[in-house]
Amino acid sequence: MNRTTTAFSIGIKEQARNYVLVALLVVLPVSFITLAFAVTQDVEMPVRTLVDGETVTVMRGMPEVHGVIMTPITSALIAGLAGLFLMREAKDTDGRLAVAGYRARQVIAARFGVLAAITLIVTGVSVGVMLIDFQPEHLWWFVAAMLVISVTYGLIGMLVGAVLDRLAGMWLMLILPMLDIGLFQDPLFIQSEPDWWMKLFPGYWPVRVMVDTGLTTDVDTALSLVWATGYLLLVAVLTIGVYYRATRAK
Amino acid sequence: MTVLTGADLEIRTGEIVGIVGANGSGKSTLMNILVGVLEQDAGTVERTGTVGWCPQDPLLYDRLTVGETFRLFGAGYGMTAEEIDEAKHRLASKLDFEQYLDYRIDQLSGGNRQKINLSIALMHDPDVLMLDEPYTGFDWETYLTFWDLAEELAADGTAVTMISHLIEEQSRLDRIYEVRDGQVYDVTDQEGETDTTAGERGEETDE
């Protein structure tokens, strides 16, 4: 095995032994998503979405809307914390790997690979739990937007881990997805387009896609997914830069 | 904050060099620059051959087993699986941690963790060995074993550098540098005096 493969496979083992992460993966989807469906009153609510390029309001069942919002919150929250833990734990010790001969790109590839694997699992579990109660109109578009928002939050977790300590980082990564996805982008709370500054948050573009492809029969937000992917790439470049500075041999 | 204002030193093949100085004088900063985990503001660091680094606080991954830790760092050193296995058992036998090879790092005592920390620096038989208070937490027997190892390595041509606080071990050192007021002084033959003698070859740094 080469260095990247070795660091990746050992990194996966290390994360599998992170019982906090495993517990979050088991407890959060059920408590957030399943309970959201169970306790939400089944009434029709006006929902803001995109139809033929126009922002319109459609009537949808409140549990469905709640489910569409709680699923990415769950996934973003766990992925964000995973990214945070990954960076906090690896930040200092990965520098020793560089002294041992690892190239920065090998360490980065391994760490990002671990985060990608965790994000895939988190997204899979979150969507799987959601599917018990709710089937989106366009499942694969929905899953694509879920992956984008989860990876974006995972990377943001890594960035936060580079500048804040564990406790401060945890608070931030607990609050950020709640505010972003659960408040600023929630189509139940914001009946018109969100303010310009709310659109700067990572949830804006992916949630548009999820509301559209989860709750309406036509896909009108393909371009939003492209913007969401662009946002993800921007965060990825920033994170790689920060990680590179931390792990390269001087 | 400026820690070192002028550090000029060399580490020669086959010698054991001590770096001494008061708490907070910049010894670890100097070593981190020499090793390459910290970037100097100015000056050059020249390293020839392979480097082994034992940091003051064990920089290890808590949830990996001792065996996995050897595998991870061994891959970095470019060692084969057989070489890693041989080094692991050789050092485990020498430093007496064979029974802990399947333990996770976070399940080890401070002393055993330090043995792994040191072993990771030694496992590839480096040309230059940088040790930052490598015996913290060792019992007396392990401390003596450590010195046997260091002397064996130096005899085989390894340049050994260590940060040391213990007066009694200064007789084991070939040369001694003192970090004081941001400067590095060669105090090998000048107890209590200062000397700014610079090295002639090997590794040097300025900050």
Side-chain angles (χ1 to χ4, degrees), chain A residues 65-105:
Chain A
V65 184
H66 211 173
V68 163
I69 292 300
M70 289 312 290
T71 306
I73 286 180
T74 305
S75 190
L77 200 148
I78 302 174
L81 289 175
L84 173 78
F85 293 159
L86 204 65
M87 182 61 107
R88 288 303 315 165
E89 290 162 3
K91 195 178 159 201
D92 296 325
T93 316
D94 281 358
R96 191 173 189 185
L97 288 182
V99 174
Y102 281 85
R103 303 275 177 272
R105 60 182 157 75

mmCIF file of all heavy atoms in Angstrom, chain A residues 65-105:
data_model
loop_
_atom_site.group_PDB
_atom_site.id
_atom_site.type_symbol
_atom_site.label_atom_id
_atom_site.label_comp_id
_atom_site.label_asym_id
_atom_site.label_seq_id
_atom_site.Cartn_x
_atom_site.Cartn_y
_atom_site.Cartn_z
ATOM 1 N N VAL A 65 -42.613 19.021 4.681
ATOM 2 C CA VAL A 65 -41.687 20.162 4.646
ATOM 3 C C VAL A 65 -40.673 20.044 5.785
ATOM 4 O O VAL A 65 -39.468 20.233 5.596
ATOM 5 C CB VAL A 65 -42.458 21.496 4.759
ATOM 6 C CG1 VAL A 65 -41.509 22.678 4.620
ATOM 7 C CG2 VAL A 65 -43.563 21.568 3.716
ATOM 8 N N HIS A 66 -41.195 19.688 6.934
ATOM 9 C CA HIS A 66 -40.323 19.538 8.096
ATOM 10 C C HIS A 66 -39.261 18.467 7.835
ATOM 11 O O HIS A 66 -38.078 18.626 8.152
ATOM 12 C CB HIS A 66 -41.171 19.158 9.315
ATOM 13 C CG HIS A 66 -40.616 19.672 10.592
ATOM 14 N ND1 HIS A 66 -41.271 19.586 11.784
ATOM 15 C CD2 HIS A 66 -39.440 20.269 10.882
ATOM 16 C CE1 HIS A 66 -40.535 20.108 12.729
ATOM 17 N NE2 HIS A 66 -39.418 20.537 12.212
ATOM 18 N N GLY A 67 -39.688 17.370 7.223
ATOM 19 C CA GLY A 67 -38.759 16.275 6.900
ATOM 20 C C GLY A 67 -37.694 16.718 5.929
ATOM 21 O O GLY A 67 -36.501 16.410 6.091
ATOM 22 N N VAL A 68 -38.106 17.475 4.919
ATOM 23 C CA VAL A 68 -37.159 17.965 3.907
ATOM 24 C C VAL A 68 -36.106 18.865 4.545
ATOM 25 O O VAL A 68 -34.953 18.877 4.131
ATOM 26 C CB VAL A 68 -37.929 18.712 2.782
ATOM 27 C CG1 VAL A 68 -37.006 19.579 1.955
ATOM 28 C CG2 VAL A 68 -38.640 17.713 1.894
ATOM 29 N N ILE A 69 -36.481 19.591 5.567
ATOM 30 C CA ILE A 69 -35.530 20.497 6.228
ATOM 31 C C ILE A 69 -34.690 19.771 7.286
ATOM 32 O O ILE A 69 -33.478 19.985 7.399
ATOM 33 C CB ILE A 69 -36.298 21.693 6.867
ATOM 34 C CG1 ILE A 69 -36.880 22.576 5.762
ATOM 35 C CG2 ILE A 69 -35.404 22.509 7.792
ATOM 36 C CD1 ILE A 69 -35.849 23.166 4.820
ATOM 37 N N MET A 70 -35.320 18.889 8.041
ATOM 38 C CA MET A 70 -34.589 18.218 9.128
ATOM 39 C C MET A 70 -33.541 17.230 8.605
ATOM 40 O O MET A 70 -32.531 16.981 9.253
ATOM 41 C CB MET A 70 -35.558 17.488 10.066
ATOM 42 C CG MET A 70 -36.399 18.393 10.941
ATOM 43 S SD MET A 70 -35.463 19.684 11.793
ATOM 44 C CE MET A 70 -34.552 18.720 12.982
ATOM 45 N N THR A 71 -33.760 16.673 7.419
ATOM 46 C CA THR A 71 -32.788 15.705 6.881
ATOM 47 C C THR A 71 -31.442 16.374 6.576
ATOM 48 O O THR A 71 -30.404 15.891 7.052
ATOM 49 C CB THR A 71 -33.375 15.011 5.628
ATOM 50 O OG1 THR A 71 -34.650 14.466 5.988
ATOM 51 C CG2 THR A 71 -32.468 13.900 5.142
ATOM 52 N N PRO A 72 -31.415 17.482 5.835
ATOM 53 C CA PRO A 72 -30.095 18.118 5.632
ATOM 54 C C PRO A 72 -29.512 18.710 6.911
ATOM 55 O O PRO A 72 -28.280 18.745 7.056
ATOM 56 C CB PRO A 72 -30.376 19.219 4.598
ATOM 57 C CG PRO A 72 -31.839 19.441 4.619
ATOM 58 C CD PRO A 72 -32.461 18.124 5.008
ATOM 59 N N ILE A 73 -30.372 19.173 7.832
ATOM 60 C CA ILE A 73 -29.821 19.686 9.103
ATOM 61 C C ILE A 73 -29.047 18.569 9.805
ATOM 62 O O ILE A 73 -27.919 18.747 10.257
ATOM 63 C CB ILE A 73 -30.944 20.206 10.033
ATOM 64 C CG1 ILE A 73 -31.486 21.547 9.527
ATOM 65 C CG2 ILE A 73 -30.443 20.363 11.473
ATOM 66 C CD1 ILE A 73 -32.596 22.132 10.384
ATOM 67 N N THR A 74 -29.673 17.398 9.866
ATOM 68 C CA THR A 74 -29.029 16.250 10.541
ATOM 69 C C THR A 74 -27.696 15.917 9.883
ATOM 70 O O THR A 74 -26.665 15.776 10.548
ATOM 71 C CB THR A 74 -29.959 15.020 10.459
ATOM 72 O OG1 THR A 74 -31.225 15.382 10.990
ATOM 73 C CG2 THR A 74 -29.390 13.849 11.224
ATOM 74 N N SER A 75 -27.731 15.797 8.571
ATOM 75 C CA SER A 75 -26.536 15.393 7.843
ATOM 76 C C SER A 75 -25.432 16.458 7.950
ATOM 77 O O SER A 75 -24.264 16.132 8.188
ATOM 78 C CB SER A 75 -26.919 15.161 6.382
ATOM 79 O OG SER A 75 -25.870 14.569 5.703
ATOM 80 N N ALA A 76 -25.838 17.732 7.787
ATOM 81 C CA ALA A 76 -24.848 18.818 7.857
ATOM 82 C C ALA A 76 -24.240 18.911 9.251
ATOM 83 O O ALA A 76 -23.040 19.140 9.408
ATOM 84 C CB ALA A 76 -25.510 20.140 7.480
ATOM 85 N N LEU A 77 -25.068 18.702 10.250
ATOM 86 C CA LEU A 77 -24.582 18.795 11.628
ATOM 87 C C LEU A 77 -23.544 17.699 11.925
ATOM 88 O O LEU A 77 -22.462 17.981 12.451
ATOM 89 C CB LEU A 77 -25.784 18.676 12.574
ATOM 90 C CG LEU A 77 -25.613 19.197 13.984
ATOM 91 C CD1 LEU A 77 -26.944 19.739 14.497
ATOM 92 C CD2 LEU A 77 -25.150 18.098 14.911
ATOM 93 N N ILE A 78 -23.866 16.465 11.540
ATOM 94 C CA ILE A 78 -22.924 15.363 11.818
ATOM 95 C C ILE A 78 -21.659 15.516 10.970
ATOM 96 O O ILE A 78 -20.541 15.357 11.467
ATOM 97 C CB ILE A 78 -23.582 13.986 11.566
ATOM 98 C CG1 ILE A 78 -24.835 13.813 12.422
ATOM 99 C CG2 ILE A 78 -22.589 12.862 11.874
ATOM 100 C CD1 ILE A 78 -25.620 12.553 12.121
ATOM 101 N N ALA A 79 -21.838 15.836 9.693
ATOM 102 C CA ALA A 79 -20.658 15.989 8.821
ATOM 103 C C ALA A 79 -19.777 17.146 9.313
ATOM 104 O O ALA A 79 -18.547 17.037 9.312
ATOM 105 C CB ALA A 79 -21.113 16.241 7.385
ATOM 106 N N GLY A 80 -20.417 18.229 9.747
ATOM 107 C CA GLY A 80 -19.658 19.375 10.251
ATOM 108 C C GLY A 80 -18.847 19.008 11.481
ATOM 109 O O GLY A 80 -17.673 19.361 11.605
ATOM 110 N N LEU A 81 -19.484 18.269 12.395
ATOM 111 C CA LEU A 81 -18.762 17.843 13.606
ATOM 112 C C LEU A 81 -17.647 16.866 13.248
ATOM 113 O O LEU A 81 -16.559 16.915 13.822
ATOM 114 C CB LEU A 81 -19.732 17.203 14.602
ATOM 115 C CG LEU A 81 -20.707 18.172 15.296
ATOM 116 C CD1 LEU A 81 -21.695 17.412 16.169
ATOM 117 C CD2 LEU A 81 -19.958 19.198 16.141
ATOM 118 N N ALA A 82 -17.915 15.986 12.279
ATOM 119 C CA ALA A 82 -16.879 15.026 11.854
ATOM 120 C C ALA A 82 -15.673 15.783 11.294
ATOM 121 O O ALA A 82 -14.526 15.458 11.615
ATOM 122 C CB ALA A 82 -17.446 14.071 10.809
ATOM 123 N N GLY A 83 -15.944 16.791 10.473
ATOM 124 C CA GLY A 83 -14.851 17.600 9.919
ATOM 125 C C GLY A 83 -14.081 18.306 11.014
ATOM 126 O O GLY A 83 -12.857 18.369 10.998
ATOM 127 N N LEU A 84 -14.821 18.820 11.989
ATOM 128 C CA LEU A 84 -14.197 19.511 13.122
ATOM 129 C C LEU A 84 -13.286 18.559 13.906
ATOM 130 O O LEU A 84 -12.124 18.860 14.177
ATOM 131 C CB LEU A 84 -15.287 20.068 14.042
ATOM 132 C CG LEU A 84 -14.812 20.674 15.358
ATOM 133 C CD1 LEU A 84 -14.250 22.067 15.137
ATOM 134 C CD2 LEU A 84 -15.952 20.752 16.377
ATOM 135 N N PHE A 85 -13.829 17.386 14.266
ATOM 136 C CA PHE A 85 -13.037 16.394 15.026
ATOM 137 C C PHE A 85 -11.790 16.000 14.234
ATOM 138 O O PHE A 85 -10.689 15.891 14.778
ATOM 139 C CB PHE A 85 -13.861 15.131 15.301
ATOM 140 C CG PHE A 85 -15.032 15.339 16.231
ATOM 141 C CD1 PHE A 85 -16.101 14.449 16.248
ATOM 142 C CD2 PHE A 85 -15.078 16.417 17.104
ATOM 143 C CE1 PHE A 85 -17.187 14.626 17.103
ATOM 144 C CE2 PHE A 85 -16.149 16.611 17.961
ATOM 145 C CZ PHE A 85 -17.205 15.713 17.955
ATOM 146 N N LEU A 86 -11.997 15.767 12.943
ATOM 147 C CA LEU A 86 -10.893 15.326 12.083
ATOM 148 C C LEU A 86 -9.753 16.346 12.106
ATOM 149 O O LEU A 86 -8.586 15.988 12.272
ATOM 150 C CB LEU A 86 -11.440 15.172 10.655
ATOM 151 C CG LEU A 86 -10.721 14.234 9.713
ATOM 152 C CD1 LEU A 86 -10.811 12.807 10.202
ATOM 153 C CD2 LEU A 86 -11.336 14.321 8.310
ATOM 154 N N MET A 87 -10.118 17.607 11.954
ATOM 155 C CA MET A 87 -9.087 18.651 11.915
ATOM 156 C C MET A 87 -8.440 18.841 13.278
ATOM 157 O O MET A 87 -7.225 18.948 13.383
ATOM 158 C CB MET A 87 -9.705 19.969 11.426
ATOM 159 C CG MET A 87 -8.708 21.109 11.312
ATOM 160 S SD MET A 87 -7.372 20.784 10.153
ATOM 161 C CE MET A 87 -7.823 21.837 8.786
ATOM 162 N N ARG A 88 -9.252 18.867 14.326
ATOM 163 C CA ARG A 88 -8.707 19.102 15.670
ATOM 164 C C ARG A 88 -7.710 18.004 16.044
ATOM 165 O O ARG A 88 -6.678 18.249 16.639
ATOM 166 C CB ARG A 88 -9.823 19.139 16.720
ATOM 167 C CG ARG A 88 -10.706 20.354 16.705
ATOM 168 C CD ARG A 88 -9.986 21.665 16.870
ATOM 169 N NE ARG A 88 -8.998 21.667 17.920
ATOM 170 C CZ ARG A 88 -8.057 22.592 18.064
ATOM 171 N NH1 ARG A 88 -7.977 23.584 17.210
ATOM 172 N NH2 ARG A 88 -7.194 22.542 19.037
ATOM 173 N N GLU A 89 -8.067 16.761 15.725
ATOM 174 C CA GLU A 89 -7.219 15.636 16.119
ATOM 175 C C GLU A 89 -5.975 15.520 15.251
ATOM 176 O O GLU A 89 -4.936 15.064 15.697
ATOM 177 C CB GLU A 89 -8.021 14.333 16.055
ATOM 178 C CG GLU A 89 -9.087 14.260 17.144
ATOM 179 C CD GLU A 89 -10.154 13.239 16.861
ATOM 180 O OE1 GLU A 89 -10.051 12.544 15.842
ATOM 181 O OE2 GLU A 89 -11.105 13.142 17.652
ATOM 182 N N ALA A 90 -6.114 15.928 13.991
ATOM 183 C CA ALA A 90 -5.010 15.691 13.062
ATOM 184 C C ALA A 90 -4.071 16.888 12.921
ATOM 185 O O ALA A 90 -2.936 16.737 12.488
ATOM 186 C CB ALA A 90 -5.576 15.335 11.690
ATOM 187 N N LYS A 91 -4.555 18.052 13.321
ATOM 188 C CA LYS A 91 -3.831 19.294 13.027
ATOM 189 C C LYS A 91 -2.357 19.236 13.449
ATOM 190 O O LYS A 91 -1.473 19.526 12.654
ATOM 191 C CB LYS A 91 -4.537 20.439 13.753
ATOM 192 C CG LYS A 91 -4.150 21.811 13.282
ATOM 193 C CD LYS A 91 -4.964 22.848 14.040
ATOM 194 C CE LYS A 91 -4.303 24.190 13.997
ATOM 195 N NZ LYS A 91 -4.767 25.056 15.075
ATOM 196 N N ASP A 92 -2.112 18.856 14.692
ATOM 197 C CA ASP A 92 -0.733 18.827 15.165
ATOM 198 C C ASP A 92 -0.008 17.562 14.730
ATOM 199 O O ASP A 92 1.133 17.604 14.287
ATOM 200 C CB ASP A 92 -0.701 18.925 16.700
ATOM 201 C CG ASP A 92 -1.263 20.249 17.168
ATOM 202 O OD1 ASP A 92 -1.053 21.249 16.461
ATOM 203 O OD2 ASP A 92 -1.920 20.278 18.221
ATOM 204 N N THR A 93 -0.693 16.437 14.868
ATOM 205 C CA THR A 93 -0.020 15.162 14.633
ATOM 206 C C THR A 93 0.292 14.949 13.159
ATOM 207 O O THR A 93 1.287 14.308 12.826
ATOM 208 C CB THR A 93 -0.876 14.013 15.187
ATOM 209 O OG1 THR A 93 -1.364 14.393 16.472
ATOM 210 C CG2 THR A 93 -0.066 12.750 15.334
ATOM 211 N N ASP A 94 -0.531 15.486 12.273
ATOM 212 C CA ASP A 94 -0.246 15.323 10.849
ATOM 213 C C ASP A 94 1.065 15.994 10.463
ATOM 214 O O ASP A 94 1.708 15.589 9.491
ATOM 215 C CB ASP A 94 -1.397 15.884 10.004
ATOM 216 C CG ASP A 94 -2.576 14.909 9.931
ATOM 217 O OD1 ASP A 94 -2.462 13.805 10.497
ATOM 218 O OD2 ASP A 94 -3.593 15.248 9.326
ATOM 219 N N GLY A 95 1.477 17.015 11.229
ATOM 220 C CA GLY A 95 2.769 17.647 10.986
ATOM 221 C C GLY A 95 3.900 16.646 11.191
ATOM 222 O O GLY A 95 4.921 16.690 10.504
ATOM 223 N N ARG A 96 3.695 15.719 12.121
ATOM 224 C CA ARG A 96 4.720 14.694 12.350
ATOM 225 C C ARG A 96 4.778 13.718 11.172
ATOM 226 O O ARG A 96 5.835 13.184 10.864
ATOM 227 C CB ARG A 96 4.408 13.939 13.659
ATOM 228 C CG ARG A 96 5.562 13.057 14.079
ATOM 229 C CD ARG A 96 5.392 12.430 15.439
ATOM 230 N NE ARG A 96 6.625 11.768 15.850
ATOM 231 C CZ ARG A 96 6.761 11.048 16.947
ATOM 232 N NH1 ARG A 96 5.745 10.918 17.773
ATOM 233 N NH2 ARG A 96 7.922 10.491 17.237
ATOM 234 N N LEU A 97 3.614 13.482 10.557
ATOM 235 C CA LEU A 97 3.617 12.623 9.366
ATOM 236 C C LEU A 97 4.469 13.258 8.268
ATOM 237 O O LEU A 97 5.165 12.553 7.540
ATOM 238 C CB LEU A 97 2.185 12.420 8.846
ATOM 239 C CG LEU A 97 1.259 11.527 9.667
ATOM 240 C CD1 LEU A 97 -0.089 11.407 8.966
ATOM 241 C CD2 LEU A 97 1.855 10.144 9.877
ATOM 242 N N ALA A 98 4.411 14.595 8.186
ATOM 243 C CA ALA A 98 5.215 15.294 7.170
ATOM 244 C C ALA A 98 6.699 15.092 7.452
ATOM 245 O O ALA A 98 7.484 14.862 6.529
ATOM 246 C CB ALA A 98 4.862 16.777 7.149
ATOM 247 N N VAL A 99 7.074 15.155 8.731
ATOM 248 C CA VAL A 99 8.483 14.917 9.090
ATOM 249 C C VAL A 99 8.871 13.477 8.743
ATOM 250 O O VAL A 99 9.996 13.199 8.333
ATOM 251 C CB VAL A 99 8.708 15.190 10.595
ATOM 252 C CG1 VAL A 99 10.126 14.810 11.014
ATOM 253 C CG2 VAL A 99 8.444 16.657 10.913
ATOM 254 N N ALA A 100 7.902 12.560 8.878
ATOM 255 C CA ALA A 100 8.183 11.145 8.593
ATOM 256 C C ALA A 100 8.284 10.871 7.092
ATOM 257 O O ALA A 100 8.656 9.764 6.699
ATOM 258 C CB ALA A 100 7.098 10.272 9.209
ATOM 259 N N GLY A 101 7.933 11.844 6.274
ATOM 260 C CA GLY A 101 8.112 11.646 4.839
ATOM 261 C C GLY A 101 6.856 11.779 4.010
ATOM 262 O O GLY A 101 6.917 11.714 2.780
ATOM 263 N N TYR A 102 5.703 11.906 4.657
ATOM 264 C CA TYR A 102 4.466 12.094 3.889
ATOM 265 C C TYR A 102 4.494 13.447 3.187
ATOM 266 O O TYR A 102 4.853 14.451 3.810
ATOM 267 C CB TYR A 102 3.248 12.045 4.810
ATOM 268 C CG TYR A 102 2.804 10.648 5.206
ATOM 269 C CD1 TYR A 102 3.391 9.995 6.282
ATOM 270 C CD2 TYR A 102 1.803 9.998 4.504
ATOM 271 C CE1 TYR A 102 2.995 8.717 6.651
ATOM 272 C CE2 TYR A 102 1.399 8.725 4.863
ATOM 273 C CZ TYR A 102 1.991 8.093 5.940
ATOM 274 O OH TYR A 102 1.595 6.832 6.301
ATOM 275 N N ARG A 103 4.097 13.468 1.938
ATOM 276 C CA ARG A 103 3.894 14.732 1.248
ATOM 277 C C ARG A 103 2.572 15.316 1.732
ATOM 278 O O ARG A 103 1.640 14.569 2.064
ATOM 279 C CB ARG A 103 3.805 14.518 -0.264
ATOM 280 C CG ARG A 103 5.030 13.820 -0.843
ATOM 281 C CD ARG A 103 6.136 14.810 -1.150
ATOM 282 N NE ARG A 103 7.331 14.134 -1.632
ATOM 283 C CZ ARG A 103 8.308 13.652 -0.865
ATOM 284 N NH1 ARG A 103 8.226 13.759 0.450
ATOM 285 N NH2 ARG A 103 9.370 13.068 -1.379
ATOM 286 N N ALA A 104 2.485 16.653 1.713
ATOM 287 C CA ALA A 104 1.239 17.299 2.166
ATOM 288 C C ALA A 104 0.050 16.801 1.358
ATOM 289 O O ALA A 104 -1.026 16.538 1.901
ATOM 290 C CB ALA A 104 1.372 18.819 2.047
ATOM 291 N N ARG A 105 0.241 16.610 0.041
ATOM 292 C CA ARG A 105 -0.884 16.180 -0.798
ATOM 293 C C ARG A 105 -1.343 14.763 -0.422
ATOM 294 O O ARG A 105 -2.526 14.432 -0.536
ATOM 295 C CB ARG A 105 -0.530 16.253 -2.288
ATOM 296 C CG ARG A 105 0.634 15.400 -2.688
ATOM 297 C CD ARG A 105 0.965 15.574 -4.181
ATOM 298 N NE ARG A 105 2.330 15.230 -4.469
ATOM 299 C CZ ARG A 105 2.802 13.995 -4.530
ATOM 300 N NH1 ARG A 105 1.997 12.982 -4.337
ATOM 301 N NH2 ARG A 105 4.081 13.768 -4.776
#
